[in-house]
Amino acid sequence: GCLFLVPSQPAWGAGETWTARASAPVSTNNGAGLVCIGDSMYTFAGNVNTSFMGYTVSNNTWTTLAAAPASVDEGGALALSSSSDSIYALGGNATANFWRYSRAANVWETMASAPVITARGAALVYPGTGDTIYGLGGNNTTNFWAYSITNNTWETKAATPGIVNYGGSLVYYPASGDSIYALRGATADFWRYSIKANTWEAMASLPGAVGAGGSLLYPDSGDLIYTFRGNNTTTFWAYLISANTWETKASAPANTHY
Protein backbone atom coordinates (compact mmCIF):
# COMPACT_ATOMS: atom_id res chain seq x y z
CA GLY A 1 0.00 0.00 0.00
CA CYS A 2 0.86 3.68 -0.05
CA LEU A 3 1.42 6.04 2.83
CA PHE A 4 -1.27 8.72 2.90
CA LEU A 5 -0.49 11.81 4.98
CA VAL A 6 -2.34 14.96 5.95
CA PRO A 7 -0.56 18.11 7.15
CA SER A 8 -2.12 20.54 9.60
CA GLN A 9 -2.61 24.07 8.29
CA PRO A 10 -0.73 26.47 10.56
CA ALA A 11 -0.35 30.22 10.15
CA TRP A 12 2.60 31.59 8.22
CA GLY A 13 5.79 30.87 10.15
CA ALA A 14 4.03 28.69 12.74
CA GLY A 15 4.75 25.09 13.64
CA GLU A 16 3.07 22.25 11.84
CA THR A 17 2.68 18.48 12.02
CA TRP A 18 1.91 15.53 9.78
CA THR A 19 -0.52 12.70 10.54
CA ALA A 20 -0.44 9.27 8.88
CA ARG A 21 -3.78 8.11 7.47
CA ALA A 22 -5.02 4.75 6.17
CA SER A 23 -2.85 3.45 3.34
CA ALA A 24 -4.29 3.32 -0.17
CA PRO A 25 -5.49 -0.15 -1.32
CA VAL A 26 -2.76 -0.33 -3.97
CA SER A 27 0.56 1.44 -4.45
CA THR A 28 0.52 4.73 -6.34
CA ASN A 29 3.16 5.83 -8.80
CA ASN A 30 3.52 7.72 -12.11
CA GLY A 31 0.33 9.60 -12.99
CA ALA A 32 -1.50 8.99 -9.71
CA GLY A 33 -3.02 12.46 -9.23
CA LEU A 34 -5.42 13.46 -6.46
CA VAL A 35 -8.62 15.54 -6.35
CA CYS A 36 -10.84 16.51 -3.41
CA ILE A 37 -14.54 17.37 -3.18
CA GLY A 38 -16.21 17.78 0.20
CA ASP A 39 -15.43 14.78 2.39
CA SER A 40 -14.09 12.70 -0.50
CA MET A 41 -10.81 12.38 -2.35
CA TYR A 42 -10.18 10.48 -5.58
CA THR A 43 -6.95 9.16 -7.07
CA PHE A 44 -5.56 7.04 -9.85
CA ALA A 45 -2.98 4.45 -8.88
CA GLY A 46 -1.04 5.29 -12.04
CA ASN A 47 1.98 3.15 -12.85
CA VAL A 48 0.48 1.83 -16.12
CA ASN A 49 -2.67 0.36 -14.61
CA THR A 50 -6.35 1.28 -14.47
CA SER A 51 -6.94 1.36 -10.70
CA PHE A 52 -9.06 4.25 -9.37
CA MET A 53 -9.87 4.79 -5.70
CA GLY A 54 -11.94 6.97 -3.40
CA TYR A 55 -11.05 8.08 0.12
CA THR A 56 -13.50 9.33 2.77
CA VAL A 57 -11.77 11.85 5.01
CA SER A 58 -14.13 11.61 7.99
CA ASN A 59 -13.99 7.81 8.11
CA ASN A 60 -10.36 7.43 7.04
CA THR A 61 -11.38 4.67 4.63
CA TRP A 62 -10.67 3.79 1.00
CA THR A 63 -12.97 2.31 -1.65
CA THR A 64 -11.95 0.70 -4.93
CA LEU A 65 -13.97 2.34 -7.72
CA ALA A 66 -14.61 1.64 -11.40
CA ALA A 67 -11.35 1.15 -13.30
CA ALA A 68 -10.23 3.83 -15.74
CA PRO A 69 -10.95 3.07 -19.43
CA ALA A 70 -7.24 2.57 -20.14
CA SER A 71 -3.94 2.38 -18.28
CA VAL A 72 -2.78 5.59 -16.61
CA ASP A 73 0.86 6.60 -16.36
CA GLU A 74 3.03 9.74 -16.43
CA GLY A 75 0.78 12.74 -17.12
CA GLY A 76 -2.31 11.28 -15.51
CA ALA A 77 -4.31 14.12 -13.94
CA LEU A 78 -7.70 14.80 -12.34
CA ALA A 79 -9.90 17.90 -12.03
CA LEU A 80 -13.32 18.77 -10.67
CA SER A 81 -15.95 20.61 -12.69
CA SER A 82 -19.03 22.79 -12.30
CA SER A 83 -20.99 19.61 -11.60
CA SER A 84 -20.55 18.06 -8.16
CA ASP A 85 -20.88 14.70 -9.89
CA SER A 86 -18.22 14.94 -12.60
CA ILE A 87 -14.46 14.49 -12.41
CA TYR A 88 -12.42 14.98 -15.59
CA ALA A 89 -9.18 13.14 -16.22
CA LEU A 90 -6.17 12.95 -18.50
CA GLY A 91 -4.88 9.42 -18.93
CA GLY A 92 -1.31 10.49 -19.66
CA ASN A 93 0.83 7.52 -20.67
CA ALA A 94 1.83 9.28 -23.92
CA THR A 95 -1.79 9.28 -25.10
CA ALA A 96 -4.40 12.00 -25.67
CA ASN A 97 -6.97 10.13 -23.56
CA PHE A 98 -9.46 12.35 -21.74
CA TRP A 99 -12.36 11.01 -19.70
CA ARG A 100 -15.22 11.99 -17.42
CA TYR A 101 -16.12 10.09 -14.25
CA SER A 102 -19.57 10.16 -12.66
CA ARG A 103 -19.38 9.95 -8.88
CA ALA A 104 -23.03 8.96 -8.57
CA ALA A 105 -22.99 6.23 -11.21
CA ASN A 106 -19.36 5.12 -10.72
CA VAL A 107 -18.81 5.00 -14.49
CA TRP A 108 -16.34 6.50 -16.94
CA GLU A 109 -17.11 8.16 -20.27
CA THR A 110 -14.64 8.99 -23.06
CA MET A 111 -14.57 12.68 -23.95
CA ALA A 112 -12.85 14.66 -26.73
CA SER A 113 -9.17 13.78 -26.88
CA ALA A 114 -6.58 16.33 -25.76
CA PRO A 115 -5.04 18.24 -28.69
CA VAL A 116 -1.83 16.16 -28.49
CA ILE A 117 -0.50 13.38 -26.30
CA THR A 118 0.16 14.12 -22.63
CA ALA A 119 2.91 12.72 -20.45
CA ARG A 120 5.19 13.75 -17.57
CA GLY A 121 4.22 17.13 -16.12
CA ALA A 122 0.69 17.21 -17.53
CA ALA A 123 -1.86 18.73 -15.15
CA LEU A 124 -5.48 19.90 -14.92
CA VAL A 125 -7.23 22.58 -12.87
CA TYR A 126 -10.80 23.86 -12.61
CA PRO A 127 -11.11 27.48 -11.42
CA GLY A 128 -14.07 26.90 -9.16
CA THR A 129 -16.77 28.32 -11.42
CA GLY A 130 -17.55 28.54 -15.11
CA ASP A 131 -17.34 26.22 -18.07
CA THR A 132 -13.60 25.79 -18.47
CA ILE A 133 -10.94 23.35 -17.27
CA TYR A 134 -7.31 24.31 -17.91
CA GLY A 135 -4.54 21.85 -18.71
CA LEU A 136 -0.78 21.57 -19.14
CA GLY A 137 0.34 19.13 -21.80
CA GLY A 138 3.68 18.45 -20.13
CA ASN A 139 5.98 16.09 -22.03
CA ASN A 140 8.71 18.71 -22.56
CA THR A 141 6.31 21.08 -24.34
CA THR A 142 4.83 24.53 -23.69
CA ASN A 143 1.30 23.31 -24.44
CA PHE A 144 -1.47 24.91 -22.40
CA TRP A 145 -5.14 24.42 -23.19
CA ALA A 146 -8.68 25.26 -22.13
CA TYR A 147 -11.42 22.65 -22.28
CA SER A 148 -15.08 23.69 -22.62
CA ILE A 149 -17.24 21.42 -20.49
CA THR A 150 -20.51 22.20 -22.32
CA ASN A 151 -19.03 21.95 -25.81
CA ASN A 152 -16.60 19.09 -25.15
CA THR A 153 -13.93 20.96 -27.12
CA TRP A 154 -10.35 22.08 -26.55
CA GLU A 155 -8.75 25.47 -27.28
CA THR A 156 -5.06 26.33 -27.34
CA LYS A 157 -4.13 29.11 -24.91
CA ALA A 158 -0.92 31.12 -24.39
CA ALA A 159 2.12 28.85 -24.32
CA THR A 160 3.88 28.46 -20.98
CA PRO A 161 7.11 30.49 -20.54
CA GLY A 162 9.18 27.29 -20.73
CA ILE A 163 8.81 23.60 -21.41
CA VAL A 164 6.99 21.62 -18.70
CA ASN A 165 8.37 18.36 -17.38
CA TYR A 166 8.35 16.13 -14.27
CA GLY A 167 6.64 17.97 -11.41
CA GLY A 168 4.44 20.19 -13.56
CA SER A 169 1.37 21.19 -11.54
CA LEU A 170 -1.51 23.71 -11.50
CA VAL A 171 -3.60 25.29 -8.75
CA TYR A 172 -6.26 28.03 -8.78
CA TYR A 173 -6.39 30.88 -6.26
CA PRO A 174 -10.11 31.68 -5.82
CA ALA A 175 -9.73 35.06 -4.09
CA SER A 176 -8.10 36.46 -7.22
CA GLY A 177 -10.94 35.50 -9.51
CA ASP A 178 -8.28 35.22 -12.20
CA SER A 179 -5.02 33.51 -11.19
CA ILE A 180 -3.75 30.00 -11.83
CA TYR A 181 -0.34 29.17 -10.35
CA ALA A 182 1.97 26.63 -11.94
CA LEU A 183 5.08 24.57 -11.27
CA ARG A 184 7.15 24.19 -14.42
CA GLY A 185 8.72 21.01 -13.13
CA ALA A 186 12.38 19.90 -13.31
CA THR A 187 13.38 23.47 -12.34
CA ALA A 188 12.62 26.02 -9.61
CA ASP A 189 10.41 28.03 -11.99
CA PHE A 190 7.03 29.14 -10.66
CA TRP A 191 4.49 31.02 -12.76
CA ARG A 192 1.12 32.75 -12.57
CA TYR A 193 -1.41 32.67 -15.40
CA SER A 194 -4.11 35.31 -15.86
CA ILE A 195 -7.31 33.74 -17.17
CA LYS A 196 -8.69 37.13 -18.27
CA ALA A 197 -5.55 38.32 -20.05
CA ASN A 198 -4.35 34.89 -21.27
CA THR A 199 -0.82 35.77 -20.17
CA TRP A 200 1.88 34.18 -18.00
CA GLU A 201 4.08 35.90 -15.42
CA ALA A 202 7.17 34.60 -13.61
CA MET A 203 6.83 34.60 -9.82
CA ALA A 204 9.40 34.06 -7.06
CA SER A 205 11.39 30.92 -7.78
CA LEU A 206 10.98 27.94 -5.49
CA PRO A 207 13.70 27.31 -2.90
CA GLY A 208 14.92 24.41 -5.06
CA ALA A 209 14.14 22.50 -8.24
CA VAL A 210 11.07 20.27 -8.16
CA GLY A 211 10.95 16.88 -9.84
CA ALA A 212 8.67 13.89 -10.30
CA GLY A 213 5.99 14.07 -7.61
CA GLY A 214 6.09 17.86 -7.38
CA SER A 215 2.60 19.23 -6.77
CA LEU A 216 0.58 22.24 -5.63
CA LEU A 217 -2.38 22.56 -3.24
CA TYR A 218 -4.53 25.50 -2.17
CA PRO A 219 -6.56 24.66 0.97
CA ASP A 220 -9.74 26.56 -0.04
CA SER A 221 -8.98 29.64 2.06
CA GLY A 222 -6.12 31.75 3.31
CA ASP A 223 -2.99 33.18 1.72
CA LEU A 224 -0.87 30.03 1.35
CA ILE A 225 -0.26 27.53 -1.45
CA TYR A 226 1.48 24.32 -0.39
CA THR A 227 4.01 22.42 -2.47
CA PHE A 228 5.70 19.05 -2.45
CA ARG A 229 9.13 19.19 -4.03
CA GLY A 230 8.96 15.56 -5.13
CA ASN A 231 12.14 14.20 -6.69
CA ASN A 232 12.40 11.51 -3.99
CA THR A 233 12.68 14.06 -1.15
CA THR A 234 10.62 14.91 1.95
CA THR A 235 10.74 18.65 1.20
CA PHE A 236 7.50 20.59 1.69
CA TRP A 237 7.11 24.34 1.11
CA ALA A 238 4.48 27.05 1.57
CA TYR A 239 4.09 30.01 -0.78
CA LEU A 240 2.74 33.27 0.66
CA ILE A 241 0.62 34.66 -2.15
CA SER A 242 0.43 38.27 -0.96
CA ALA A 243 4.18 38.55 -0.41
CA ASN A 244 5.36 36.34 -3.31
CA THR A 245 7.74 34.50 -0.95
CA TRP A 246 8.43 30.88 0.02
CA GLU A 247 8.98 29.18 3.36
CA THR A 248 10.18 25.65 4.16
CA LYS A 249 7.66 23.71 6.23
CA ALA A 250 7.85 20.46 8.23
CA SER A 251 9.30 17.65 6.14
CA ALA A 252 6.93 14.93 4.98
CA PRO A 253 7.33 11.64 6.89
CA ALA A 254 8.32 9.84 3.68
CA ASN A 255 9.86 10.72 0.33
CA THR A 256 7.57 11.94 -2.40
CA HIS A 257 8.19 10.88 -5.97
CA TYR A 258 6.09 10.44 -9.11
Side-chain angles (χ1 to χ4, degrees), residues 64-91:
T64 298
L65 300 170
S71 294
V72 175
D73 198 41
E74 294 176 354
L78 298 165
L80 301 177
S81 71
S82 54
S83 164
S84 61
D85 182 57
S86 298
I87 295 171
Y88 288 80
L90 291 171

Side-chain angles (χ1 to χ4, degrees), residues 59-136:
N59 295 332
N60 189 27
T61 55
W62 289 89
T63 303
T64 298
L65 300 170
S71 294
V72 175
D73 198 41
E74 294 176 354
L78 298 165
L80 301 177
S81 71
S82 54
S83 164
S84 61
D85 182 57
S86 298
I87 295 171
Y88 288 80
L90 291 171
N93 198 22
T95 73
N97 291 338
F98 185 62
W99 309 308
R100 180 171 63 195
Y101 173 77
S102 167
R103 298 173 63 219
N106 188 30
V107 296
W108 291 92
E109 178 183 4
T110 298
M111 309 305 289
S113 296
V116 298
I117 65 170
T118 60
R120 56 194 183 277
L124 293 173
V125 68
Y126 177 67
T129 59
D131 184 53
T132 306
I133 293 170
Y134 295 87
L136 292 171

Side-chain angles (χ1 to χ4, degrees), residues 21-69:
R21 307 290 284 175
S23 295
V26 297
S27 295
T28 58
N29 207 301
N30 311 341
L34 187 69
V35 70
C36 178
I37 180 168
D39 191 44
S40 300
M41 295 183 182
Y42 298 85
T43 184
F44 286 131
N47 202 28
V48 200
N49 74 63
T50 60
S51 296
F52 183 62
M53 301 166 283
Y55 173 78
T56 304
V57 178
S58 58
N59 295 332
N60 189 27
T61 55
W62 289 89
T63 303
T64 298
L65 300 170

